[in-house]
Amino acid sequence: TNDTLTSDVIGRRVEVNGEYATVRFSGIVPPVAHPTGGSFIRPNKVNFGIDFLTAVKNRYVLEDGPEDDGKEQIVIIGSKPVETIGFDSVIKQQSQLSKLQDISLRNCAVSCAGEKGGIAKACPNIRKVDLSKNLLSSWDEVIHIADQLRHLEVLNLSENKLKCPSGSASLTGTFSALKVLVLNRTGITWAEVLRCASACPVLEELYLESNNIVISERPTDVLQTVKLLDLSSNHLIDESQLFLIAYLPRLEQLILSDIGISSIRFPDAGIGCKTSMFPNLQYLVVNDNQISQWSFINELDKLQSLHALSCIRNPLTEGDKAAQTTRQLIIAKVGQLRMLNKCEILPEERRGAELDYRKAFGNEWKKAGGHQDPDRDRPDEEFLAAHPRYQLLCLKYGAPEDGELKIQQPFMLKNQLLTLKIKCPNQLDQKVLEKQLPDSMTIQKVKGLLSRLLKVPVSDLLLSYESPKMPGREIELENDLQSLQFYSVENGDCLLVRW
């Protein structure tokens, strides 16, 4: 070290050859270093950073040369060169700084606020600031910056290691206009989150990814305005901790990707009832977790406002089942969903999924005590727990009839050929055809064959079938991805084709 380096460097964040570190010691290096110590660096090799305003000027303004003789000059705003003629460059600079509203100082080595009042004077209209991956080492410096930006609405402090504000003074109203706060990979604790949140009276979005957070207490006076909370990649969070944030009154979006969760239960709500937890939650993201049981999906139907779900890369959705089948099951199990994995659920898709579900578990329902006669319909608790919406679907579409619930053919007969009649009820001049089709053939492929046969575009074809065993009943073949066997089409049945 040398005399020019002051003693207040302890705890400062620094950058050395692209690596980031915290200063833990300043002085003469002892002859024997501690085995678990850090690296010793000469001060002249260390970047202690620059103040906020210097970073803004470096990034957003390039000063002109000393002469201002009316010749054309260039001022850089962001990455855009602006030509100026006959302007005094300093005045030009100041006017451009004062117009700045959205700035990114990511990775610019910002370490402090700088001269008192300097930010407020130079660029008072800033609304969005990205200060991620800088050398800020304490919340005190962040507060010195924010206090001068009265219109600040969005602040990203990700990848800064911040010490809590000094003293026990209240932070109330420090970030009076702040709506979005991003604190990913900052090492912040839940207690610190709540303390900082007390300074954000109108906060709407809070991002806390990868902080090893443990939700240790219920937020009482804070986070009451938050609509979006991102807790992704905090692997210590479990189901019981989520109950501590379950009554945030305005929470609409909850992101729980990659936290290792495998189960969730809302004990205050029975089968077919809605929970009082997460009352306004509309969008839930649980990607990249350990969800392997359908009971997790069943519980989500208890959320009273849930309309959108993202649930990819989980054992439940990555197993042997086809992705389309898994999607159908989720749709059938969560009645209010309108969006699944960022893909809209149209009414016809919901209807198809619910009808398929009702049919697929019909035999199980009957074995458990289900019956077409409402007076004798008493499925046991075990079945209702595994299929909480089943009774509701029977009310909606009618109980499944015996003809629909024929036992699936054994595996060895899977590819048996069916001899089927093909009728076109709306085309009186079209003769009845007869075709042999494998029962494993999908509806989509059947349509392709009929399209070539009848010279009609595939998209115009509507298929259904009737069976001598169910006179007067017509069953729609509405899901293109299912097979003839899935719909229990048998030898001698008749396909009805309309366009």
Side-chain angles (χ1 to χ4, degrees), residues 219-227 245-252 276-282 305:
T220 46
D221 306 329
V222 296
L223 304 181
Q224 302 300 297
T225 54
V226 165
K227 294 179 180 178
I245 56 166
Y247 294 99
L248 290 174
R250 299 200 188 161
L251 187 62
E252 294 175 2
S276 60
M277 297 187 195
F278 298 103
N280 276 311
L281 187 63
Q282 295 173 25
S305 305

Side-chain angles (χ1 to χ4, degrees), residues 5-269:
L5 199 60
T6 56
S7 59
D8 68 352
V9 298
I10 308 298
R12 289 269 297 272
R13 295 287 288 164
V14 294
E15 181 257 322
V16 184
N17 297 329
E19 299 292 329
Y20 288 72
T22 302
V23 178
R24 299 295 183 204
F25 171 86
S26 172
I28 308 293
V29 179
V32 181
H34 193 278
T36 60
S39 303
F40 291 99
I41 307 283
R42 292 183 187 280
N44 59 359
K45 304 274 189 196
V46 175
N47 180 1
F48 282 92
I50 55 177
D51 67 79
F52 182 91
L53 201 49
T54 301
V56 172
K57 287 176 179 174
N58 288 350
R59 181 80 206 275
Y60 288 90
V61 179
L62 183 66
E63 287 193 38
D64 305 314
E67 295 112 348
D68 180 18
D69 54 3
K71 289 183 185 165
E72 186 180 278
Q73 301 169 33
I74 302 290
V75 176
I76 303 288
I77 308 295
S79 57
K80 211 171 174 185
V82 178
E83 293 183 0
T84 68
I85 298 174
F87 269 98
D88 176 88
S89 67
V90 176
I91 294 169
K92 182 69 183 168
Q93 232 179 296
Q94 288 171 345
S95 75
Q96 293 299 346
L97 282 180
S98 71
K99 286 177 187 170
L100 285 175
Q101 291 193 10
D102 184 351
I103 65 169
S104 173
L105 299 178
R106 177 174 170 81
N107 207 3
C108 285
V110 176
S111 61
C112 61
E115 187 189 336
K116 195 171 181 184
I119 299 170
K121 193 176 170 188
C123 40
N125 291 310
I126 288 174
R127 283 173 156 70
K128 296 182 181 179
V129 182
D130 181 353
L131 275 170
S132 59
K133 206 168 186 186
N134 276 288
L135 301 178
L136 294 161
S137 54
S138 79
W139 274 97
D140 291 332
E141 285 303 327
V142 174
I143 290 164
H144 290 328
I145 294 168
D147 274 341
Q148 300 180 64
L149 300 172
R150 305 316 298 169
H151 303 294
L152 188 62
E153 292 178 6
V154 179
L155 177 59
N156 186 347
L157 293 168
S158 298
E159 296 173 82
N160 288 284
K161 302 293 180 205
L162 299 166
K163 285 201 305 287
C164 230
S166 57
S168 57
S170 167
L171 304 178
T172 310
T174 303
F175 302 95
S176 57
L178 196 69
K179 291 181 180 173
V180 179
L181 179 57
V182 189
L183 296 170
N184 300 335
R185 294 175 291 286
T186 55
I188 196 166
T189 67
W190 185 247
E192 290 166 351
V193 167
L194 298 188
R195 188 167 175 211
C196 293
S198 70
C200 309
V202 296
L203 191 65
E204 293 181 1
E205 298 182 16
L206 179 58
Y207 298 84
L208 298 169
E209 189 182 322
S210 302
N211 282 305
N212 279 328
I213 279 175
V214 173
I215 301 174
S216 50
E217 59 182 295
R218 189 183 293 249
T220 46
D221 306 329
V222 296
L223 304 181
Q224 302 300 297
T225 54
V226 165
K227 294 179 180 178
L228 182 153
L229 181 59
D230 184 354
L231 292 166
S232 299
S233 302
N234 286 290
H235 301 130
L236 302 175
I237 290 178
D238 62 23
E239 179 187 350
S240 62
Q241 291 174 45
L242 294 178
F243 295 153
L244 294 173
I245 56 166
Y247 294 99
L248 290 174
R250 299 200 188 161
L251 187 62
E252 294 175 2
Q253 296 187 50
L254 181 59
I255 305 171
L256 299 175
S257 294
D258 183 36
I259 65 168
I261 196 169
S262 60
S263 67
I264 197 160
R265 208 168 53 84
F266 302 113
D268 65 324

Side-chain angles (χ1 to χ4, degrees), residues 255-307:
I255 305 171
L256 299 175
S257 294
D258 183 36
I259 65 168
I261 196 169
S262 60
S263 67
I264 197 160
R265 208 168 53 84
F266 302 113
D268 65 324
I271 291 166
C273 300
K274 298 295 181 192
T275 176
S276 60
M277 297 187 195
F278 298 103
N280 276 311
L281 187 63
Q282 295 173 25
Y283 183 29
L284 177 65
V285 180
V286 286
N287 300 336
D288 301 289
N289 279 297
Q290 302 302 317
I291 300 161
S292 60
Q293 302 295 322
W294 283 106
S295 56
F296 188 102
I297 304 298
N298 290 342
E299 287 294 301
L300 298 185
D301 189 52
K302 295 179 179 179
L303 291 165
Q304 51 190 298
S305 305
L306 190 70
H307 296 316

